[in-house]
Amino acid sequence: MKPKKVIELSRLLNPTDPKWAKDEQWGATIPEEEIRIEPYIFVHDRCMCEWIRLWSHAGTHIEAPYHGYLVKSDVTIGDVPIETFVGEGLSIDMSFVGQEPDMAKKFERYERFSVSGPMVTREHIKQYEKENNVEIKKGDIVFFYTNMNIPDIPVISGDAAGYLVEKGVKLVGTNDDTIIYSFMAHLNLLQAGIPLVEMLTNLDKLGKGRVLIVALPLPIKGIGGSPARVFAITEWEK
C-alpha cells in the first residue's frame, strides 16, 4: 500500500517571513528568538551549513510528561517510545459547544486563560462520538479543533482530559487558535504519561473518519518538548 493523500498538520517555521514573531506565542519570552538561523559555508567541502537557535516549543510542537513541572516526571521527549507518535486517530470538531452564555463565566475564564469560551466536558466528547458514529479507542491519537476565533474559543476541561485518559488514548493535540487545554487538562494528560501536541493546523481537512497520524518530535534527551512534523494519511492506493 502507498499513501495517496497526505495532509500537513504542522505549521511552517519561517523566520525569513517579515510577519514572523509579530504575534507573541504563549510562553516565548522573546518571540524573535523562537528560531534563529545563522548560515555559514563549511569551507572543507564548500557546503552550506547552519547554526540553529531553536525554542523547544516553537511552532507545532510536542510536550512530554517532563514538561509538566507539577507532574514530577523524568520522561523527556527523547524518552517517549516512537510508537506513541504513530497510529490511528480522529480529528474532532468541537464547534457545536458554541459560545459561553454566562457573562460572569466568560470574564472569569478570560482572566484565567485569556479566552472566554465554554469548558469542553466529557459529555461533549461523548455527544460527538454518538452523533458522528465514531468511537475513541484505546491507543488512539485524538486532535481537537473548532471553527471559533479568539477570544471566544473553548477550553478543554480536566474532566474531558480524564475521559481521554480513561479511554486509553496515547496522544492528544489541539490547534490552539480555536481551542486550548485548561491547566487541569494539561496536567491530567501529562500525569497519565500522554504527550500533548500544540499549534496544529488543517485539522478540518481530515474529515470525521479514522486516519493514520504521524507526529514526530526531535528525539532529544533532557528536554520537555520539541518542534515536530505532523501529518495524516487519509487515502491509500491499493
Side-chain angles (χ1 to χ4, degrees):
M1 297 177 65
K2 295 193 297 185
K4 183 178 180 180
K5 188 173 183 180
V6 180
I7 297 179
E8 177 73 76
L9 303 180
S10 47
R11 308 189 189 199
L12 179 66
L13 290 171
N14 182 15
T16 64
D17 186 332
K19 297 180 181 178
W20 178 263
K22 294 297 186 292
D23 296 320
E24 184 174 353
Q25 185 172 329
W26 295 339
T29 54
I30 308 176
E32 295 81 2
E33 294 290 301
E34 287 179 23
I35 179 172
R36 186 172 69 196
I37 301 173
E38 299 176 359
Y40 66 95
I41 299 174
F42 184 57
V43 295
H44 197 66
D45 60 3
R46 304 301 192 272
C47 288
M48 289 300 299
C49 295
E50 297 82 25
W51 284 104
I52 301 174
R53 177 185 175 89
L54 184 63
W55 185 44
S56 62
H57 293 248
T60 303
H61 61 277
I62 302 179
E63 300 171 351
Y66 179 80
H67 170 66
Y69 178 74
L70 296 179
V71 175
K72 306 296 184 183
S73 172
D74 59 359
V75 179
T76 69
I77 200 69
D79 300 312
V80 181
I82 189 69
E83 294 83 6
T84 303
F85 303 118
V86 181
E88 283 192 7
L90 298 166
S91 178
I92 295 182
D93 183 359
M94 279 286 150
S95 301
F96 68 89
V97 301
Q99 295 190 16
E100 174 60 65
D102 188 319
M103 290 302 295
K105 289 182 179 179
K106 288 185 72 167
F107 284 117
E108 178 187 1
R109 202 159 292 139
Y110 187 81
E111 288 184 350
R112 293 180 62 192
F113 305 113
S114 298
V115 300
S116 57
M119 299 295 284
V120 173
T121 67
R122 67 175 58 214
E123 295 306 320
H124 286 128
I125 301 176
K126 289 180 179 180
Q127 179 182 342
Y128 179 90
E129 290 179 287
K130 182 178 180 179
E131 292 180 354
N132 293 279
N133 194 31
V134 297
E135 179 186 358
I136 297 173
K137 300 178 181 179
K138 183 177 181 179
D140 272 351
I141 296 172
V142 181
F143 292 160
F144 292 95
Y145 74 99
T146 72
N147 62 7
M148 311 192 60
N149 298 309
I150 293 174
D152 295 317
I153 69 175
V155 181
I156 298 174
S157 69
D159 171 64
Y163 178 67
L164 297 173
V165 172
E166 292 168 13
K167 296 289 282 187
V169 304
K170 64 180 181 180
L171 190 67
V172 178
T174 62
N175 71 348
D176 294 72
D177 290 335
T178 68
I179 187 170
I180 62 170
Y181 306 103
S182 68
F183 173 78
M184 286 307 302
H186 199 267
L187 183 63
N188 289 351
L189 291 167
L190 292 177
Q191 183 74 59
I194 301 171
L196 308 180
V197 191
E198 297 184 352
M199 300 294 288
L200 288 160
T201 189
N202 294 329
L203 295 179
D204 58 323
K205 297 181 180 180
L206 300 189
K208 297 179 180 179
R210 304 182 70 82
V211 298
L212 177 65
I213 296 173
V214 180
L216 298 179
L218 297 172
I220 302 175
K221 178 78 173 179
I223 62 174
S226 165
R229 190 69 180 265
V230 185
F231 61 90
I233 302 174
T234 59
E235 296 179 25
W236 297 83
E237 292 182 4
K238 296 182 179 180

